[in-house]
Amino acid sequence: MEVPTQSSDLQAQLSAWKGEVDNVRGSLRTMRSRLEEMAGSRQANHERMVEIEHFQNQFIRQLEVADEMFHDLKQSAKFMGYGRPAIIHHDRPVDDYDRLNDRMQVFHKLHEELKGDFSRFESFR
């Protein structure tokens, strides 16, 4: 992927990514709400409840990852705008565009897989 060279282009890309992360958060909240409806259903037998718990855990974890990603994108914007950010996570660098881009691609891939899995699970109501 081509790296934006202008600071304004980088800031625009980071803002777009933050918007995408917010969209994923909204999607996860919607799926979690539908999952809660399923859990309250009379059709929720033991096997179904095990699967519901699995998805609940997946949603919790993906929301945690979304929060980390959003935080790191904010840190990256600070890094580019004002110098080094106050907190640097060595396992999640915020000063490397290529690595942030890779992380966003993986983030999207995992979210799309989870949405697909949940959609298939939902269709077996």
Side-chain angles (χ1 to χ4, degrees):
M1 168 155 222
E2 186 176 320
V3 177
T5 56
Q6 297 293 324
S7 177
S8 60
D9 293 342
L10 289 170
Q11 291 292 348
Q13 180 65 65
L14 291 171
S15 291
W17 283 341
K18 288 193 300 187
E20 292 172 27
V21 170
D22 271 339
N23 289 339
V24 167
R25 286 172 167 167
S27 171
L28 289 167
R29 287 184 192 106
T30 299
M31 288 188 290
R32 187 172 56 193
S33 177
R34 293 194 320 249
L35 189 69
E36 289 170 359
E37 290 173 13
M38 284 184 236
S41 167
R42 292 178 192 242
Q43 298 172 345
N45 60 24
H46 177 70
E47 285 181 31
R48 188 92 169 144
M49 289 304 292
V50 168
E51 292 182 68
I52 287 171
E53 183 176 356
H54 164 76
F55 279 106
Q56 180 182 23
N57 292 336
Q58 291 295 311
F59 296 157
I60 289 168
R61 180 60 191 133
Q62 195 158 62
L63 277 168
E64 289 172 348
V65 171
D67 289 344
E68 289 172 0
M69 194 75 220
F70 193 85
H71 171 78
D72 291 350
L73 291 168
K74 284 180 21 182
Q75 289 294 97
S76 185
K78 285 181 187 178
F79 175 80
M80 286 188 283
Y82 310 112
R84 298 214 59 80
I87 300 170
I88 297 177
H89 303 283
H90 296 290
D91 62 328
R92 306 184 329 248
V94 298
D95 59 348
D96 182 342
Y97 176 86
D98 290 330
R99 292 201 47 200
L100 276 173
N101 184 50
D102 290 345
R103 287 177 58 203
M104 280 300 296
Q105 288 180 5
V106 169
F107 178 74
H108 281 292
K109 178 181 180 267
L110 292 175
H111 179 66
E112 290 302 315
E113 288 174 2
L114 180 58
K115 273 185 8 183
D117 291 347
F118 184 66
S119 178
R120 284 185 291 281
F121 172 70
E122 233 181 345
S123 68
F124 289 111
R125 279 185 151 190

